[in-house]
Amino acid sequence: MNPALTQFGAQMSHLTGVRAIMKDIIETLRAGSGQEFINLSAGNPVILPEVEQLWRDCTAELLASPEYGEVVCRYGSSQGYQPFINAVLADFNQRYGLNLTDRNILITPGSQSIYFYAANAFGGYTTSKQLKKIVLPLSPDYTGYGGVSLIPEAVVACKPTLDIDAAAHRFKYRPDFSQLSIDQTTGCVIFSRPCNPTGNVLTDDEVKKIADLAAAFDVPVLIDSAYGPPFPSLNFTEMTPIFGGNIVHCMSLSKAGLPGERIGIAIGDEKIIQLLECFQTNMCIHSPRYGQAIATRAIASGALADISINVIRPYYQSKFAIVESTLEQAMPKDLPWFLHRGEGAIFAWLWLKDLPMTDWELYQELKKVGVIVVPGSSFFPGLREDWHHKHECLRISLTATNDEIETAMKRLAQMVEKVYQPAVSS
Protein backbone atom coordinates (compact mmCIF):
# COMPACT_ATOMS: atom_id res chain seq x y z
CA MET A 1 0.00 0.00 0.00
CA ASN A 2 1.02 3.57 -0.57
CA PRO A 3 -1.60 5.65 1.24
CA ALA A 4 -1.71 9.41 0.74
CA LEU A 5 -0.37 11.37 3.69
CA THR A 6 -1.79 14.54 5.14
CA GLN A 7 0.41 17.53 5.90
CA PHE A 8 0.79 16.30 9.47
CA GLY A 9 1.31 12.73 8.31
CA ALA A 10 4.19 13.79 6.10
CA GLN A 11 5.71 15.84 8.92
CA MET A 12 5.56 13.04 11.49
CA SER A 13 6.71 10.26 9.13
CA HIS A 14 10.28 11.60 8.97
CA LEU A 15 12.97 10.97 11.57
CA THR A 16 14.67 14.06 12.94
CA GLY A 17 18.03 14.79 14.54
CA VAL A 18 19.82 11.96 16.30
CA ARG A 19 17.13 9.40 15.44
CA ALA A 20 18.08 9.78 11.77
CA ILE A 21 21.79 9.39 12.59
CA MET A 22 21.14 6.36 14.80
CA LYS A 23 19.91 4.57 11.69
CA ASP A 24 23.34 5.07 10.12
CA ILE A 25 25.05 3.95 13.34
CA ILE A 26 23.00 0.75 13.51
CA GLU A 27 23.83 -0.03 9.88
CA THR A 28 27.53 0.66 10.57
CA LEU A 29 27.56 -1.76 13.51
CA ARG A 30 25.77 -4.45 11.47
CA ALA A 31 28.12 -4.08 8.49
CA GLY A 32 31.27 -3.95 10.63
CA SER A 33 32.70 -7.19 9.16
CA GLY A 34 34.37 -8.11 12.42
CA GLN A 35 35.59 -4.60 13.21
CA GLU A 36 35.17 -3.70 16.85
CA PHE A 37 33.68 -0.29 17.58
CA ILE A 38 33.72 1.81 20.73
CA ASN A 39 30.20 3.18 20.60
CA LEU A 40 30.02 6.62 22.24
CA SER A 41 26.70 7.53 20.63
CA ALA A 42 24.27 5.99 23.08
CA GLY A 43 21.73 8.02 25.01
CA ASN A 44 20.57 4.94 26.88
CA PRO A 45 21.57 5.05 30.56
CA VAL A 46 23.90 2.34 31.83
CA ILE A 47 22.14 -0.41 33.79
CA LEU A 48 23.76 0.14 37.17
CA PRO A 49 23.37 -2.86 39.54
CA GLU A 50 22.13 -0.79 42.49
CA VAL A 51 19.56 0.98 40.32
CA GLU A 52 18.29 -2.21 38.73
CA GLN A 53 18.00 -3.80 42.17
CA LEU A 54 15.93 -0.87 43.40
CA TRP A 55 13.41 -1.40 40.61
CA ARG A 56 13.42 -5.16 41.17
CA ASP A 57 12.68 -4.64 44.86
CA CYS A 58 9.89 -2.17 44.13
CA THR A 59 8.43 -4.57 41.58
CA ALA A 60 8.48 -7.41 44.13
CA GLU A 61 6.63 -5.20 46.60
CA LEU A 62 4.01 -4.35 43.99
CA LEU A 63 3.55 -8.00 42.97
CA ALA A 64 3.05 -9.00 46.61
CA SER A 65 0.52 -6.25 47.32
CA PRO A 66 -3.28 -6.31 46.83
CA GLU A 67 -2.75 -3.15 44.77
CA TYR A 68 -1.33 -5.09 41.80
CA GLY A 69 -4.63 -5.92 40.11
CA GLU A 70 -5.89 -2.36 40.47
CA VAL A 71 -2.69 -1.05 38.87
CA VAL A 72 -2.45 -3.27 35.79
CA CYS A 73 -6.03 -4.48 35.26
CA ARG A 74 -7.89 -1.17 35.44
CA TYR A 75 -8.01 2.06 33.52
CA GLY A 76 -6.98 5.07 35.54
CA SER A 77 -7.22 8.83 35.74
CA SER A 78 -5.84 10.82 32.81
CA GLN A 79 -3.89 12.90 35.30
CA GLY A 80 -1.91 9.93 36.58
CA TYR A 81 -1.86 7.23 39.24
CA GLN A 82 -2.97 9.00 42.41
CA PRO A 83 -0.52 7.36 44.87
CA PHE A 84 2.32 8.37 42.53
CA ILE A 85 1.05 11.95 42.32
CA ASN A 86 0.81 12.00 46.12
CA ALA A 87 4.39 10.73 46.48
CA VAL A 88 5.75 13.42 44.11
CA LEU A 89 3.64 16.05 45.88
CA ALA A 90 4.89 15.14 49.36
CA ASP A 91 8.51 14.90 48.24
CA PHE A 92 8.62 18.24 46.42
CA ASN A 93 6.65 20.16 49.04
CA GLN A 94 8.98 18.93 51.76
CA ARG A 95 12.22 19.11 49.74
CA TYR A 96 11.70 22.55 48.17
CA GLY A 97 9.26 24.19 50.61
CA LEU A 98 6.45 24.34 48.04
CA ASN A 99 2.69 24.41 48.48
CA LEU A 100 1.71 22.22 45.57
CA THR A 101 -1.64 20.44 45.37
CA ASP A 102 -2.40 17.46 43.18
CA ARG A 103 -3.90 19.89 40.64
CA ASN A 104 -0.36 21.10 39.90
CA ILE A 105 0.89 17.70 38.67
CA LEU A 106 0.42 15.69 35.48
CA ILE A 107 1.98 12.30 34.74
CA THR A 108 2.74 11.59 31.08
CA PRO A 109 4.24 8.72 29.05
CA GLY A 110 7.75 10.19 29.11
CA SER A 111 8.71 13.86 29.19
CA GLN A 112 8.95 14.04 25.36
CA SER A 113 5.15 13.81 25.32
CA ILE A 114 4.90 16.89 27.58
CA TYR A 115 6.76 18.96 24.98
CA PHE A 116 4.61 17.54 22.19
CA TYR A 117 1.42 18.48 24.04
CA ALA A 118 2.69 21.96 24.88
CA ALA A 119 4.26 22.66 21.49
CA ASN A 120 0.98 21.92 19.73
CA ALA A 121 -1.32 23.43 22.36
CA PHE A 122 0.57 26.74 22.54
CA GLY A 123 2.58 26.77 19.29
CA GLY A 124 1.49 26.70 15.66
CA TYR A 125 -1.29 28.61 13.93
CA THR A 126 -4.09 30.22 15.93
CA THR A 127 -7.71 30.31 14.76
CA SER A 128 -6.92 33.72 13.27
CA LYS A 129 -3.96 32.20 11.31
CA GLN A 130 -1.27 33.86 13.43
CA LEU A 131 1.87 31.75 13.89
CA LYS A 132 2.73 31.24 17.56
CA LYS A 133 6.39 30.30 17.93
CA ILE A 134 8.02 27.67 20.12
CA VAL A 135 11.16 29.47 21.29
CA LEU A 136 14.36 27.68 22.30
CA PRO A 137 16.38 30.35 24.17
CA LEU A 138 19.72 28.94 23.11
CA SER A 139 20.93 26.31 20.69
CA PRO A 140 22.39 23.65 20.76
CA ASP A 141 19.75 21.89 22.80
CA TYR A 142 17.87 18.60 22.90
CA THR A 143 17.47 17.30 19.36
CA GLY A 144 13.95 16.02 20.13
CA TYR A 145 12.60 19.57 20.21
CA GLY A 146 12.96 19.59 16.43
CA GLY A 147 10.17 17.05 16.07
CA VAL A 148 7.67 18.11 18.74
CA SER A 149 5.65 20.53 16.61
CA LEU A 150 3.22 19.56 13.88
CA ILE A 151 4.11 22.95 12.38
CA PRO A 152 7.91 22.77 11.88
CA GLU A 153 8.29 26.48 11.08
CA ALA A 154 6.97 27.26 14.58
CA VAL A 155 10.22 26.05 16.25
CA VAL A 156 12.79 28.86 16.43
CA ALA A 157 16.08 28.95 18.33
CA CYS A 158 18.55 31.64 19.33
CA LYS A 159 22.30 31.52 18.76
CA PRO A 160 24.11 31.65 22.13
CA THR A 161 27.15 33.59 23.23
CA LEU A 162 30.31 31.56 23.85
CA ASP A 163 32.19 32.04 27.10
CA ILE A 164 35.68 30.79 26.11
CA ASP A 165 38.67 29.96 28.32
CA ALA A 166 41.30 29.48 25.60
CA ALA A 167 44.16 28.59 27.95
CA ALA A 168 42.17 25.77 29.58
CA HIS A 169 40.55 24.58 26.30
CA ARG A 170 37.11 24.99 27.89
CA PHE A 171 33.99 26.92 26.95
CA LYS A 172 30.36 27.40 27.96
CA TYR A 173 27.21 28.47 26.12
CA ARG A 174 25.16 31.31 27.55
CA PRO A 175 21.83 32.73 26.36
CA ASP A 176 22.25 35.91 24.31
CA PHE A 177 19.54 38.16 25.73
CA SER A 178 20.26 40.80 23.09
CA GLN A 179 18.99 38.28 20.49
CA LEU A 180 16.31 36.46 22.49
CA SER A 181 12.89 37.57 21.27
CA ILE A 182 9.86 36.66 23.38
CA ASP A 183 6.77 38.65 22.49
CA GLN A 184 3.10 38.39 21.51
CA THR A 185 4.03 35.94 18.71
CA THR A 186 5.53 33.47 21.21
CA GLY A 187 3.46 30.43 22.17
CA CYS A 188 5.82 28.76 24.65
CA VAL A 189 9.50 28.51 25.60
CA ILE A 190 11.39 25.21 26.05
CA PHE A 191 14.94 24.43 27.19
CA SER A 192 16.80 21.64 29.00
CA ARG A 193 18.66 22.10 32.30
CA PRO A 194 21.11 20.31 32.53
CA CYS A 195 21.33 20.27 28.76
CA ASN A 196 21.43 17.30 26.45
CA PRO A 197 23.81 17.39 24.50
CA THR A 198 26.22 19.91 26.02
CA GLY A 199 25.97 19.41 29.80
CA ASN A 200 25.25 23.14 30.13
CA VAL A 201 23.32 24.36 33.19
CA LEU A 202 21.68 27.77 32.91
CA THR A 203 22.13 29.82 36.06
CA ASP A 204 19.20 30.67 38.34
CA ASP A 205 19.42 34.29 37.18
CA GLU A 206 19.32 33.27 33.51
CA VAL A 207 16.27 31.06 34.13
CA LYS A 208 14.44 33.80 36.02
CA LYS A 209 15.24 36.35 33.34
CA ILE A 210 13.82 34.08 30.61
CA ALA A 211 10.73 33.37 32.74
CA ASP A 212 10.18 37.07 33.40
CA LEU A 213 10.44 37.94 29.70
CA ALA A 214 7.85 35.26 28.94
CA ALA A 215 5.56 36.18 31.84
CA ALA A 216 5.05 39.65 30.37
CA PHE A 217 3.18 37.96 27.48
CA ASP A 218 1.52 35.15 29.49
CA VAL A 219 3.82 32.60 27.85
CA PRO A 220 4.51 29.23 29.55
CA VAL A 221 8.18 28.26 30.06
CA LEU A 222 8.83 24.51 30.05
CA ILE A 223 12.09 23.57 31.77
CA ASP A 224 13.22 20.11 30.74
CA SER A 225 14.82 18.69 33.90
CA ALA A 226 15.31 15.13 32.66
CA TYR A 227 18.84 15.20 34.14
CA GLY A 228 18.16 17.46 37.11
CA PRO A 229 17.60 17.01 40.83
CA PRO A 230 16.17 15.37 42.87
CA PHE A 231 16.19 12.37 40.53
CA PRO A 232 18.33 11.48 38.63
CA SER A 233 20.41 14.41 40.05
CA LEU A 234 22.82 14.34 37.11
CA ASN A 235 23.96 17.88 37.80
CA PHE A 236 27.69 18.14 38.50
CA THR A 237 27.37 21.75 39.62
CA GLU A 238 25.03 23.28 42.19
CA MET A 239 21.64 24.09 40.71
CA THR A 240 18.22 24.86 42.10
CA PRO A 241 15.01 23.75 40.38
CA ILE A 242 12.76 26.80 39.91
CA PHE A 243 9.00 26.60 40.28
CA GLY A 244 5.94 28.83 40.15
CA GLY A 245 4.43 31.47 37.93
CA ASN A 246 4.60 30.61 34.25
CA ILE A 247 7.24 27.88 34.73
CA VAL A 248 6.32 24.25 34.05
CA HIS A 249 8.95 22.01 35.66
CA CYS A 250 9.26 18.86 33.54
CA MET A 251 10.93 15.64 34.67
CA SER A 252 11.58 12.13 33.48
CA LEU A 253 12.52 8.92 35.28
CA SER A 254 14.37 7.59 32.22
CA LYS A 255 17.86 8.49 33.44
CA ALA A 256 16.91 7.24 36.90
CA GLY A 257 16.74 3.74 35.43
CA LEU A 258 13.23 3.54 33.95
CA PRO A 259 13.52 4.55 30.27
CA GLY A 260 11.45 1.54 29.25
CA GLU A 261 8.49 2.57 31.40
CA ARG A 262 8.08 6.10 29.93
CA ILE A 263 7.30 8.24 32.96
CA GLY A 264 7.18 12.02 32.64
CA ILE A 265 6.16 14.49 35.34
CA ALA A 266 4.93 18.04 34.72
CA ILE A 267 4.60 20.44 37.66
CA GLY A 268 3.06 23.83 37.04
CA ASP A 269 0.13 26.21 37.13
CA GLU A 270 -3.21 24.44 37.52
CA LYS A 271 -4.67 25.89 34.30
CA ILE A 272 -1.69 24.83 32.21
CA ILE A 273 -1.67 21.36 33.76
CA GLN A 274 -5.40 20.98 33.08
CA LEU A 275 -4.95 21.95 29.43
CA LEU A 276 -2.08 19.46 28.98
CA GLU A 277 -4.18 16.78 30.69
CA CYS A 278 -7.00 17.32 28.17
CA PHE A 279 -4.48 16.96 25.35
CA GLN A 280 -3.26 13.70 26.89
CA THR A 281 -6.79 12.35 27.37
CA ASN A 282 -7.54 12.81 23.68
CA MET A 283 -4.22 11.29 22.67
CA CYS A 284 -3.70 8.22 24.87
CA ILE A 285 -6.22 8.27 27.78
CA HIS A 286 -3.51 8.02 30.45
CA SER A 287 0.09 7.03 31.10
CA PRO A 288 1.03 3.40 31.88
CA ARG A 289 0.47 2.69 35.56
CA TYR A 290 2.93 -0.12 36.36
CA GLY A 291 5.98 2.17 36.23
CA GLN A 292 4.16 4.78 38.29
CA ALA A 293 3.30 2.21 40.94
CA ILE A 294 6.88 1.01 41.46
CA ALA A 295 8.19 4.60 41.30
CA THR A 296 5.73 5.53 44.05
CA ARG A 297 7.59 3.22 46.40
CA ALA A 298 11.04 4.42 45.32
CA ILE A 299 10.16 8.09 45.81
CA ALA A 300 8.13 7.74 49.02
CA SER A 301 10.89 5.75 50.72
CA GLY A 302 13.54 8.29 49.74
CA ALA A 303 15.52 5.50 48.02
CA LEU A 304 15.37 7.06 44.53
CA ALA A 305 16.73 10.44 45.61
CA ASP A 306 19.42 8.71 47.67
CA ILE A 307 20.56 6.41 44.88
CA SER A 308 20.55 9.33 42.43
CA ILE A 309 23.02 11.31 44.54
CA ASN A 310 25.19 8.45 45.75
CA VAL A 311 25.25 6.11 42.73
CA ILE A 312 23.99 7.63 39.48
CA ARG A 313 25.64 11.06 39.71
CA PRO A 314 29.13 9.86 40.79
CA TYR A 315 29.13 7.21 38.06
CA TYR A 316 28.70 9.66 35.21
CA GLN A 317 30.75 12.40 36.82
CA SER A 318 33.71 10.01 36.96
CA LYS A 319 33.22 9.19 33.27
CA PHE A 320 33.35 12.87 32.35
CA ALA A 321 36.56 13.19 34.35
CA ILE A 322 38.13 10.46 32.18
CA VAL A 323 37.09 12.27 28.98
CA GLU A 324 38.49 15.49 30.39
CA SER A 325 41.85 14.15 31.60
CA THR A 326 42.46 12.00 28.51
CA LEU A 327 41.77 14.87 26.11
CA GLU A 328 44.03 17.16 28.13
CA GLN A 329 46.87 14.66 27.79
CA ALA A 330 46.26 13.51 24.22
CA MET A 331 45.01 16.56 22.32
CA PRO A 332 47.63 18.85 20.74
CA LYS A 333 47.90 22.02 22.84
CA ASP A 334 48.28 24.26 19.77
CA LEU A 335 44.96 23.23 18.18
CA PRO A 336 41.71 25.15 18.89
CA TRP A 337 39.78 22.40 20.67
CA PHE A 338 37.35 23.27 23.45
CA LEU A 339 35.47 20.95 25.79
CA HIS A 340 32.19 22.29 27.15
CA ARG A 341 32.29 22.63 30.91
CA GLY A 342 30.88 19.45 32.43
CA GLU A 343 27.94 20.72 34.48
CA GLY A 344 25.63 17.72 34.10
CA ALA A 345 23.89 15.05 31.97
CA ILE A 346 25.49 11.93 30.48
CA PHE A 347 27.42 13.45 27.58
CA ALA A 348 30.54 15.44 26.83
CA TRP A 349 30.45 18.10 24.09
CA LEU A 350 33.56 18.90 22.08
CA TRP A 351 33.99 21.98 19.88
CA LEU A 352 36.73 21.87 17.22
CA LYS A 353 37.06 25.47 16.11
CA ASP A 354 37.89 25.99 12.41
CA LEU A 355 37.58 22.24 11.79
CA PRO A 356 38.86 21.65 8.23
CA MET A 357 35.96 19.27 7.49
CA THR A 358 32.35 19.01 8.62
CA ASP A 359 31.28 17.21 11.78
CA TRP A 360 29.61 14.55 9.60
CA GLU A 361 32.85 13.96 7.69
CA LEU A 362 34.82 13.69 10.94
CA TYR A 363 32.20 11.24 12.24
CA GLN A 364 32.87 9.09 9.16
CA GLU A 365 36.65 9.30 9.68
CA LEU A 366 36.33 8.30 13.33
CA LYS A 367 34.33 5.22 12.35
CA LYS A 368 37.38 4.07 10.34
CA VAL A 369 39.38 3.89 13.60
CA GLY A 370 36.57 2.15 15.47
CA VAL A 371 35.05 5.13 17.31
CA ILE A 372 31.42 6.17 16.99
CA VAL A 373 30.26 9.56 18.27
CA VAL A 374 27.35 11.78 17.19
CA PRO A 375 27.85 14.73 14.82
CA GLY A 376 26.91 17.91 16.65
CA SER A 377 24.92 19.51 13.83
CA SER A 378 21.95 17.32 14.84
CA PHE A 379 21.52 19.37 18.01
CA PHE A 380 20.59 22.77 16.65
CA PRO A 381 16.80 22.46 16.15
CA GLY A 382 15.11 25.68 15.10
CA LEU A 383 18.37 27.56 14.42
CA ARG A 384 17.98 28.73 10.84
CA GLU A 385 21.04 30.94 10.83
CA ASP A 386 23.99 29.67 8.79
CA TRP A 387 26.48 29.27 11.63
CA HIS A 388 29.71 27.39 10.91
CA HIS A 389 29.96 26.41 14.59
CA LYS A 390 27.07 23.97 14.04
CA HIS A 391 29.40 21.78 11.96
CA GLU A 392 32.35 21.85 14.36
CA CYS A 393 31.02 19.89 17.35
CA LEU A 394 30.70 16.29 18.52
CA ARG A 395 28.56 14.68 21.25
CA ILE A 396 30.37 12.01 23.25
CA SER A 397 28.37 9.58 25.39
CA LEU A 398 29.59 8.77 28.91
CA THR A 399 28.01 5.31 28.88
CA ALA A 400 31.06 3.22 27.87
CA THR A 401 33.61 1.62 30.20
CA ASN A 402 36.55 3.60 31.57
CA ASP A 403 39.00 1.81 29.28
CA GLU A 404 36.79 2.29 26.23
CA ILE A 405 36.39 6.01 26.90
CA GLU A 406 40.13 6.48 27.41
CA THR A 407 41.00 4.51 24.26
CA ALA A 408 38.39 6.33 22.19
CA MET A 409 39.58 9.76 23.31
CA LYS A 410 43.16 8.89 22.36
CA ARG A 411 42.03 7.75 18.91
CA LEU A 412 39.91 10.87 18.56
CA ALA A 413 42.90 13.07 19.48
CA GLN A 414 45.07 11.34 16.87
CA MET A 415 42.40 11.79 14.22
CA VAL A 416 41.87 15.46 15.11
CA GLU A 417 45.61 16.09 14.83
CA LYS A 418 45.61 14.36 11.44
CA VAL A 419 42.69 16.32 9.97
CA TYR A 420 44.06 19.67 11.15
CA GLN A 421 47.58 18.89 9.87
CA PRO A 422 47.20 20.18 6.27
CA ALA A 423 45.61 23.41 7.52
CA VAL A 424 48.38 23.88 10.13
CA SER A 425 51.15 23.10 7.59
CA SER A 426 49.81 25.55 5.02
Side-chain angles (χ1 to χ4, degrees):
M1 282 187 68
N2 189 24
L5 294 176
T6 65
Q7 177 186 345
F8 293 153
Q11 167 66 15
M12 297 304 288
S13 65
H14 295 291
L15 296 175
T16 59
V18 168
R19 286 292 175 179
I21 289 170
M22 290 307 292
K23 188 172 184 292
D24 179 79
I25 290 170
I26 290 167
E27 289 172 359
T28 297
L29 294 171
R30 284 176 178 168
S33 302
Q35 182 180 5
E36 289 189 8
F37 290 96
I38 299 174
N39 187 355
L40 302 183
S41 68
N44 246 337
V46 176
I47 301 175
L48 301 175
E50 300 93 333
V51 177
E52 182 182 7
Q53 191 60 52
L54 170 65
W55 297 122
R56 285 181 179 274
D57 292 345
C58 291
T59 296
E61 288 178 28
L62 175 62
L63 287 171
S65 77
E67 183 187 0
Y68 178 81
E70 186 67 27
V71 168
V72 300
C73 303
R74 296 279 185 185
Y75 288 111
S77 161
S78 294
Q79 186 183 358
Y81 180 56
Q82 192 62 45
F84 182 56
I85 291 173
N86 293 343
V88 172
L89 189 69
D91 185 279
F92 275 65
N93 280 345
Q94 187 276 327
R95 188 182 301 276
Y96 299 115
L98 303 176
N99 293 299
L100 301 171
T101 73
D102 60 1
R103 294 175 182 269
N104 298 117
I105 298 176
L106 174 67
I107 311 303
T108 65
S111 59
Q112 176 82 1
S113 59
I114 303 173
Y115 315 125
F116 182 80
Y117 303 162
N120 294 289
F122 305 118
Y125 290 98
T126 66
T127 52
S128 59
K129 308 302 181 187
Q130 180 192 16
L131 179 63
K132 287 281 192 176
K133 296 172 185 173
I134 300 138
V135 173
L136 313 181
L138 77 168
S139 192
D141 208 332
Y142 175 49
T143 184
Y145 301 151
V148 293
S149 177
L150 294 170
I151 310 296
E153 64 267 29
V155 181
V156 296
C158 298
K159 191 170 82 170
T161 61
L162 277 62
D163 187 350
I164 302 170
D165 183 345
H169 291 278
R170 298 292 184 277
F171 83 111
K172 175 179 169 63
Y173 295 112
R174 296 191 183 277
D176 185 349
F177 288 100
S178 70
Q179 300 297 316
L180 178 57
S181 177
I182 299 175
D183 55 27
Q184 65 276 5
T185 68
T186 306
C188 65
V189 176
I190 306 176
F191 59 89
S192 60
R193 182 181 187 246
C195 176
N196 169 6
T198 66
N200 193 23
V201 173
L202 270 64
T203 66
D204 291 0
D205 287 343
E206 287 168 341
V207 172
K208 289 170 184 173
K209 191 168 183 179
I210 292 168
D212 288 346
L213 288 171
F217 298 95
D218 237 13
V219 169
V221 174
L222 289 93
I223 301 179
D224 180 350
S225 192
Y227 297 88
F231 17 82
S233 283
L234 276 165
N235 54 301
F236 308 152
T237 185
E238 284 297 319
M239 64 167 284
T240 308
I242 298 173
F243 304 91
N246 58 332
I247 290 176
V248 182
H249 181 80
C250 308
M251 300 172 57
S252 164
L253 296 190
S254 293
K255 301 307 184 288
L258 283 183
E261 286 309 303
R262 312 309 303 132
I263 299 176
I265 305 166
I267 301 174
D269 178 84
E270 180 181 337
K271 290 182 180 178
I272 295 175
I273 293 299
Q274 188 175 43
L275 190 151
L276 297 177
E277 182 186 342
C278 289
F279 206 113
Q280 174 158 283
T281 305
N282 288 321
M283 187 170 176
C284 61
I285 305 179
H286 64 74
S287 306
R289 283 153 55 92
Y290 162 77
Q292 295 181 66
I294 62 172
T296 299
R297 290 161 167 76
I299 291 172
S301 67
L304 185 56
D306 180 70
I307 215 165
S308 294
I309 291 172
N310 295 310
V311 176
I312 299 175
R313 179 194 288 166
Y315 180 86
Y316 291 103
Q317 195 164 11
S318 69
K319 300 292 184 181
F320 184 85
I322 294 169
V323 169
E324 197 169 35
S325 61
T326 308
L327 288 178
E328 283 175 350
Q329 293 167 17
M331 286 286 261
K333 299 292 187 287
D334 58 337
L335 293 184
W337 65 271
F338 301 94
L339 184 66
H340 195 284
R341 296 207 172 275
E343 298 178 333
I346 64 172
F347 308 103
W349 180 259
L350 183 64
W351 170 36
L352 301 166
K353 188 175 184 292
D354 302 323
L355 182 66
M357 58 176 59
T358 67
D359 59 324
W360 179 264
E361 290 167 336
L362 180 57
Y363 156 75
Q364 300 291 355
E365 291 299 312
L366 286 168
K367 287 197 296 185
K368 294 176 184 177
V369 295
V371 175
I372 299 177
V373 294
V374 179
S377 51
S378 310
F379 297 93
F380 293 82
L383 189 64
R384 293 167 177 62
E385 185 175 342
D386 186 18
W387 188 26
H388 193 62
H389 179 89
K390 291 196 293 185
H391 305 284
E392 298 177 335
C393 300
L394 300 173
R395 190 189 79 172
I396 300 162
S397 173
L398 304 177
T399 56
T401 67
N402 293 356
D403 289 343
E404 286 173 333
I405 291 174
E406 185 175 349
T407 300
M409 291 305 97
K410 288 177 179 177
R411 292 180 189 174
L412 185 151
Q414 290 171 353
M415 182 59 70
V416 166
E417 186 170 20
K418 180 180 175 183
V419 300
Y420 271 98
Q421 201 60 53
V424 172
S425 300
S426 61

